[in-house]
Amino acid sequence: MEPALIGTRLASAVLSPLLRRLLVQEGGGAALTDRPVRLAGLLSFRGEKRTLTERDVRRLAGTLVRESLTRPGEPPFPGDEAEAVADALSRSLLALGDLEMDDVQAVRHGHRELARRLRTSPAARSAAEGLSADAALYLDSITEWACLHILQFFTQRSSFVARTLVEQSRTQAELIAKLDELILRVPRADARDAAFERRYLPYIARRHGQLTIYGIDLHEAPDEWPLDMAYLCLEASARTGPSGDRPTVPHARPEPPDDGVRWLRRASVTDGPEAEPVPADQTLAAHDRVLLRGVAGSGKTTLVQWLAVSATRTAGEDPDGRMAYLHDRVPFVLPLRTLTRHGERLPAPGGFLSAVGCPLTPPEGWADRVLTAGRGLILVDGLDEVPEAERSRTRRWLRDLLGAYGDGNRWLVTSRPAAVRDDWLAPDGFTDLTLSPMSRRAVTAFVQRWHRAAGADAGTYEQPLQDALRGKRDLAALATNPLMCGLICALHRDRRGFLPHGRRALYEAALTMLLTRRDRERDLGAPSGVDLAEAPQIQLVQRLAYWMTLNGRTQMDRSRAESLVTGAIPAVPEAAAAGDPQAVFGHLLHRSGLLRESSPGAVDFVHRTFQDFLAAKAIVDDWHIGVLTRHAADDQWEDVIRMSVAHARPRERAEIFTELLASADAAPDRATQLRILVVAAAAMEQATEIAPTVRETLLSRTAEAIPPRTVEEARALSAAGPLVLDLLPGPEHTADDDVARMTVVTASLVGSDAAVPFLARYAEHPSVRVRSQLVWAWDRYGHDEYARDVIAAVDPSGLYFTVRNAEQARSIAALAGGRAVHFQGNLPGELITATVRACAPPAVRISQNPQLTDLTWLADAPASPEDVEIDRCPALTDLSAVGPLTTLLLDDSQLAVVERAPTTEGVHVELRRAVPNLRRIPALFPGLPSLSVVHLWQDEPVDLSPLTAADGLHRVLLVGDPALFMGADDLAARVSLTVRPPE
């Protein structure tokens, strides 16, 4: 029975006078002069102020029980238990005098807790034994009801309120003092984090803000150069297009619909928006997670450095705002070669800094807080440098991190192209991009920057080298990435304008420069106390290269490296005579220019390509040909095999090729067989002499993989170099469009000028995708030659001819009209105007141009294009110059200026990628007939209902799973709706 039910039988008018007699009546004040008064001192039946006896309390309890039984209604318990219940109640009330608490504490506990303590006293428990269930329930309820009234009496005492306020004040003062002491003793986490980041970010900027440019450390030049001066931004492109790294961008015009609206479509692989090449340092601006592939020396690690340093800068240090998306992010640079050196578990965030040798100690839990807040920039460098057997473990580590910290953070993983399959990280939301080979324009810029960094005395060598790169095809074929460009620049200057021919000769000259000529030409003598010629140094260093390659490492413990070198010294007489073995190792580490101590206790080569070159030399010297064939399908051994062929003598080369073919025959599947054949074919390029029979056998076997079936096979075949051109079929033998496209993809990726005549044969192919690949390949070759031999011959129907620089614009302007032009990138308005005037294109597309503000060039054009497309031009604010167009195609970023769109009859506006702004469209086009088409490419659900309010809308094109488009049936009742599944 609840106390409230007791209250219905015993009104407060009955209970209160009875229970009040239990308490002593006190005077005013807070009762602070003595110690707090316990409940025993407040009772009228205890202490010196006693007015009731124990007998009186029992009489009072009996009165309460009788009142409950005589009230109308069913009695709460059998009448014969009245005396026992009264006895138990009196014992409970008498237990008040035994409680060690005062009135303030009693009120704080509450009436239920007070009743529980009374009922559990020994006397009360003993008296309640033997009661019936109803009697026990009544006893519990009447005790709680009595305690409720008693506490009410306590709160009415004049001293209670005053003492409560005093105790609260004391408690608050004590709490504040304890908190102040705690704050002084343990500073707030965010304050500690901010203080640490003020130290950590400058450390990252110092550690990664310098870049080694090989060879310029001659003649008193410093060893390293500021990253700002040396960094060259390359392009990255998606691996999903037909070229494997650049999707097509055709301008196809199918037959117009019945309503006469002309469509602008893209005949790309997905028939959706193309993934155009973007600056490599902007990839994380568009994608939170990127797997970036690139060949050795392509600039992957330099990009990681650039991103890390950019994240440490403020807005004032980035005036053009290019890297603003990284501001306020905390970079974690994680080179896998370092993290996997000992084969230990890959670190959790708390161990990131210590694992890479950072001397700073962060506050406990700092990295976890950074990543939980989505502020991290995680740069995982060198997936290919993890042994193949350990890559699954690395992926699990990445997935664990993504599962815990995926939201908000940005992730970049770098790798060589063939290290992992294309979908290796796709399920985890990574966009797969590839660093494009350096274009002629990029090579020119690199050479200019290199000579500017090298100093005034290097300037006399710049122009002769530029001329050589344009005139010597074999030299230009080597200058495809920053590493090779740097070596060529260094050797050209070091050898007073004379360059070696071929890759092997280039590396040998670089070794000579680094191992012997550097200290000699700087008049340093023997600063390490060891004077060694080039040959013994190579003999010793190649032992390290061979061990690392054989064990799938690109870094090793310093102690192991020293042990390998000192153990090999007795077999190298000149090294043995040079002095103490430890001193010889120190000389190789600090003076050779090939090795470095990349982190405390760890040694690696200054670049992976030197390791591959020297490992190949060690294999050929010791003739460990079985090692080559066992690793023929291993991506980490591709360059080693090529360099082994370069080091070998003719009879040795023949044996290498024979063993490789036998390994291909024994391959477990076609993919492995193709990889081995391509490696063998690519290695032929390094053979200065090869038996005709061996060559013919290799070519015939390689032809088995031609034409390639997939983009991956095309990319692999192109690695064989110009010799693959002799095996590819011409257009007369490729009736199938897919076969023709894969053939052109392969040839366009070769990158040698020898491919230009072959590509020109496909200029009139009927397939738009084939011809669009020819247009995209323009950047890979000389502008003038390619424009004359290929671009001028390409059938322009259905294509956009992309212009990315002034040279290409000049070439397009010199050709006859009728070519739709795509101006891509930060091109000035004057250049666009001049080109449009010269070639009068039927359609113009402008994309990724941050400085385009208006379309005045349209008004100046002698013949305005019929179709104009504006894509990702955020500065555009004025469309007033738009003339009598057939179609104006805008992406959703231009919706802010749509209100100024022309209302000329016959002009149609098309919106692309407008999903985030669907609800704005009806307001921006209130009955405006110019909005005719909305294009949507979707891979997530979208509600189309806002489009039903756009009165002027004629047609909607949807590309994606039909189930993703909610409200499509209602929209189809109002407009012409086309839903096409992705291809």
Side-chain angles (χ1 to χ4, degrees):
M1 184 177 296
E2 291 293 324
L5 297 180
I6 294 294
T8 62
R9 304 183 67 85
L10 290 176
S12 295
V14 176
L15 275 172
S16 293
L18 295 173
L19 295 176
R20 187 182 298 276
R21 296 179 58 196
L22 295 174
L23 306 175
V24 174
Q25 302 300 310
E26 293 286 352
L32 301 176
T33 54
D34 298 319
R35 290 180 301 174
V37 180
R38 298 294 176 185
L39 290 186
L42 302 177
L43 302 175
S44 59
F45 56 86
R46 295 291 295 269
E48 297 179 358
K49 302 177 181 178
R50 180 181 307 177
T51 59
L52 291 180
T53 64
E54 183 175 335
R55 182 177 179 182
D56 293 330
V57 175
R58 292 182 179 277
R59 188 180 298 115
L60 186 150
T63 300
L64 291 175
V65 172
R66 282 196 304 276
E67 287 287 339
S68 298
L69 290 173
T70 58
R71 292 287 168 176
E74 182 182 354
F77 58 88
D80 58 358
E81 292 186 276
E83 184 175 347
V85 171
D87 179 59
L89 177 59
S90 64
R91 290 177 183 271
S92 295
L93 295 175
L94 289 170
L96 281 168
D98 299 324
L99 296 180
E100 290 296 325
M101 67 174 68
D102 58 27
D103 55 347
V104 175
Q105 292 171 329
V107 172
R108 185 182 306 135
H109 286 306
H111 73 280
R112 294 183 187 276
E113 174 62 18
L114 181 61
R116 187 191 66 78
R117 294 198 180 196
L118 295 180
R119 291 195 303 266
T120 56
S121 65
R125 281 202 310 268
S126 174
E129 291 178 357
L131 294 177
S132 67
D134 288 343
L137 179 61
Y138 169 81
L139 180 62
D140 289 346
S141 297
I142 193 67
T143 304
E144 284 191 15
W145 188 247
C147 287
L148 189 63
H149 277 265
I150 290 170
L151 295 184
Q152 174 68 15
F153 296 149
F154 286 163
T155 62
Q156 294 173 350
R157 298 177 66 242
S158 60
S159 63
F160 175 83
V161 176
R163 286 186 54 246
T164 300
L165 293 175
V166 171
E167 288 207 8
Q168 287 178 349
S169 299
R170 288 174 176 170
T171 302
Q172 289 176 355
E174 291 176 2
L175 181 61
I176 291 172
K178 291 177 180 179
L179 286 175
D180 288 342
E181 183 179 357
L182 182 62
I183 290 173
L184 291 175
R185 195 176 295 176
V186 184
R188 291 172 57 191
D190 56 354
R192 289 182 296 137
D193 290 354
F196 173 74
E197 288 172 21
R198 285 194 293 270
R199 298 175 58 214
Y200 175 70
L201 295 180
Y203 164 78
I204 290 293
R206 289 191 302 271
R207 177 168 179 176
H208 299 289
Q210 301 291 319
L211 181 67
T212 299
I213 304 180
Y214 299 102
I216 64 172
D217 53 349
L218 300 173
H219 309 298
E220 305 302 327
D223 291 337
E224 294 180 324
W225 299 84
L227 190 61
D228 284 335
M229 178 185 294
Y231 175 72
L232 177 71
C233 182
L234 301 178
E235 285 188 338
S237 46
R239 291 164 59 85
T240 55
S243 67
D245 67 350
R246 284 181 175 169
T248 59
V249 187
H251 172 77
R253 292 191 181 92
E255 290 300 317
D258 294 338
D259 59 3
V261 178
R262 301 183 67 186
W263 288 64
L264 291 178
R265 294 184 52 223
R266 307 187 192 283
S268 64
V269 175
T270 61
D271 221 356
E274 78 281 10
E276 298 165 345
V278 297
D281 58 10
Q282 296 297 303
T283 56
L284 287 179
H287 309 284
D288 288 342
R289 304 175 185 180
V290 172
L291 171 60
L292 185 68
R293 303 175 191 253
V295 299
S298 59
K300 301 185 296 295
T301 299
T302 302
L303 175 63
V304 165
Q305 289 181 242
W306 177 255
L307 294 175
V309 171
S310 296
T312 68
R313 293 172 173 165
T314 62
E317 296 170 315
D318 182 23
D320 59 1
R322 286 189 72 256
M323 308 304 292
Y325 73 97
L326 293 181
H327 296 170
D328 300 324
R329 290 197 172 271
V330 178
F332 297 93
V333 181
L334 304 174
L336 286 173
R337 73 182 74 87
T338 300
L339 302 185
T340 60
R341 188 172 84 241
H342 299 291
E344 300 172 354
R345 286 176 57 89
L346 290 163
F352 280 175
L353 270 57
S354 60
V356 297
C358 175
L360 303 179
T361 302
E364 184 70 26
W366 167 75
D368 175 76
R369 289 189 290 275
V370 168
L371 297 179
T372 300
R375 298 175 52 227
L377 173 64
I378 301 91
L379 305 169
V380 182
D381 188 29
L383 184 60
D384 55 286
E385 296 176 355
V386 177
E388 190 168 2
E390 299 180 22
R391 289 176 191 168
S392 295
R393 179 169 66 99
T394 304
R395 180 167 56 179
R396 288 195 299 272
W397 169 72
L398 269 174
R399 284 179 170 172
D400 288 343
L401 291 176
L402 290 165
Y405 307 106
D407 295 337
N409 299 298
R410 296 187 187 269
W411 306 73
L412 177 74
V413 180
T414 72
S415 173
R416 285 193 183 186
V420 293
R421 64 180 185 270
D422 283 356
D423 60 347
W424 201 71
L425 287 177
D428 304 296
F430 277 79
T431 300
D432 202 330
L433 303 175
T434 297
L435 276 175
S436 303
M438 291 176 70
S439 65
R440 290 294 180 84
R441 184 180 181 84
V443 171
T444 299
F446 183 96
V447 172
Q448 290 173 343
R449 292 191 182 191
W450 190 98
H451 286 85
R452 188 186 318 133
D457 68 316
T460 57
Y461 297 103
E462 178 188 341
Q463 193 55 49
L465 180 56
Q466 297 279 22
D467 295 339
L469 287 169
R470 281 192 290 267
K472 297 181 179 180
R473 292 186 176 183
D474 57 339
L475 182 63
L478 293 175
T480 58
N481 60 63
L483 172 69
M484 296 305 297
C485 284
L487 282 177
I488 289 171
C489 291
L491 288 169
H492 184 262
R493 172 193 171 194
D494 185 52
R495 296 160 71 97
R496 303 297 188 269
F498 295 95
L499 282 171
H501 297 282
R503 191 176 296 270
R504 174 187 171 183
L506 193 67
Y507 278 109
E508 287 177 342
L511 290 176
T512 299
M513 178 180 67
L514 294 173
L515 292 174
T516 61
R517 296 188 61 185
R518 182 177 63 166
D519 285 347
R520 184 173 68 245
E521 297 199 14
R522 296 171 75 178
D523 296 325
L524 294 181
S528 63
V530 174
D531 187 10
L532 271 179
E534 178 184 343
Q537 290 188 75
I538 290 178
Q539 287 291 324
L540 296 174
V541 174
Q542 71 185 34
R543 300 292 183 97
L544 302 181
Y546 183 45
W547 186 94
M548 290 185 189
T549 302
L550 192 62
N551 288 276
R553 304 287 178 183
T554 56
Q555 194 176 63
M556 66 192 306
D557 292 341
R558 174 172 175 154
S559 58
R560 183 180 295 275
E562 186 171 357
S563 175
L564 287 172
V565 169
T566 55
I569 284 177
V572 184
E574 287 187 56
D580 179 56
Q582 282 75 25
V584 172
F585 174 76
H587 170 80
L588 294 175
L589 180 59
H590 299 297
R591 302 306 313 167
S592 70
L594 283 176
L595 300 176
R596 64 181 176 184
E597 193 166 9
S598 53
S599 60
V603 173
D604 66 359
F605 283 85
V606 293
H607 201 278
R608 172 71 177 273
T609 52
F610 287 116
Q611 176 185 323
D612 292 343
F613 181 84
L614 290 169
K617 186 175 185 304
I619 289 171
V620 172
D621 286 351
D622 295 334
W623 199 233
H624 289 170
I625 187 174
V627 174
L628 289 179
T629 55
R630 284 199 302 273
H631 294 87
D634 188 338
D635 62 273
Q636 290 192 335
W637 283 72
E638 289 180 6
D639 285 345
V640 178
I641 293 173
R642 295 182 190 183
M643 290 297 101
S644 296
V645 171
H647 285 297
R649 292 170 294 188
R651 293 182 62 182
E652 294 168 339
R653 290 184 192 126
E655 187 173 347
I656 291 174
F657 287 129
T658 301
E659 293 295 328
L660 287 175
L661 291 176
S663 181
D665 290 336
D669 51 57
R670 174 179 167 79
T672 304
Q673 183 183 55
L674 176 61
R675 171 172 289 189
I676 296 173
L677 290 174
V678 168
V679 169
M684 277 198 295
E685 199 175 22
Q686 308 300 324
T688 55
E689 181 182 345
I690 183 172
T693 55
V694 174
R695 177 183 175 84
E696 290 172 5
T697 302
L698 273 172
L699 292 178
S700 64
R701 290 297 308 277
T702 307
E704 297 173 5
I706 294 175
R709 303 175 185 175
T710 65
V711 171
E712 289 69 30
E713 290 186 5
R715 189 183 301 114
L717 280 174
S718 69
L723 64 88
V724 78
L725 298 172
D726 296 333
L727 307 176
L728 293 172
E732 64 277 9
H733 300 297
T734 53
D736 184 274
D737 289 350
D738 288 336
V739 172
R741 185 165 62 93
M742 287 297 103
T743 299
V744 172
V745 166
T746 305
S748 66
L749 288 171
V750 168
S752 168
D753 286 343
V756 175
F758 179 87
L759 293 171
R761 296 167 60 189
Y762 280 85
E764 297 183 359
H765 198 280
S767 170
V768 167
R769 293 186 177 183
V770 173
R771 287 180 281 118
S772 67
Q773 179 60 42
L774 297 176
V775 174
W776 271 114
W778 193 356
D779 269 358
R780 298 173 182 149
Y781 303 93
H783 294 110
D784 295 335
E785 298 88 346
Y786 197 86
R788 182 189 64 243
D789 298 341
V790 180
I791 298 298
V794 168
D795 178 2
S797 57
L799 289 180
Y800 269 116
F801 286 75
T802 303
V803 170
R804 297 189 182 90
N805 52 63
E807 290 86 352
Q808 290 179 334
R810 187 179 62 250
S811 297
I812 284 290
L815 298 176
R819 290 174 172 80
V821 182
H822 172 198
F823 297 96
Q824 182 188 21
N826 193 13
L827 298 173
E830 298 79 13
L831 178 66
I832 297 174
T833 300
T835 308
V836 171
R837 283 178 180 176
C839 61
V844 171
R845 180 171 185 238
I846 303 177
S847 70
Q848 297 175 293
N849 192 326
Q851 66 177 354
L852 184 72
T853 59
D854 56 53
L855 305 181
T856 54
W857 51 271
L858 281 173
D860 297 334
S864 295
E866 296 177 350
D867 299 330
V868 174
E869 178 180 351
I870 308 297
D871 184 18
R872 284 164 287 177
C873 298
L876 182 65
T877 58
D878 185 3
L879 302 180
S880 60
V882 173
L885 304 175
T886 298
T887 303
L888 174 65
L889 194 150
L890 303 170
D891 81 329
D892 60 354
S893 67
Q894 268 73 56
L895 283 180
V897 296
V898 159
E899 291 171 313
R900 302 181 185 178
T903 58
T904 305
E905 187 68 27
V907 176
H908 300 282
V909 178
E910 300 186 15
L911 294 178
R912 188 183 305 276
R913 294 189 296 273
V915 174
N917 297 288
L918 284 182
R919 297 189 179 278
R920 296 180 57 199
I921 290 176
L924 291 173
F925 293 91
L928 187 65
S930 60
L931 177 64
S932 60
V933 182
V934 173
H935 301 247
L936 299 180
W937 285 269
Q938 275 301 101
D939 54 9
E940 295 181 359
V942 60
D943 182 12
L944 301 176
S945 59
L947 292 179
T948 59
D951 294 335
L953 185 60
H954 295 169
R955 183 179 290 274
V956 174
L957 168 65
L958 307 175
V959 179
D961 185 346
L964 298 174
F965 300 104
M966 296 175 287
D969 292 340
D970 293 338
L971 185 61
R974 299 177 58 89
V975 303
S976 176
L977 180 68
T978 301
V979 181
R980 185 162 56 245
E983 296 180 3

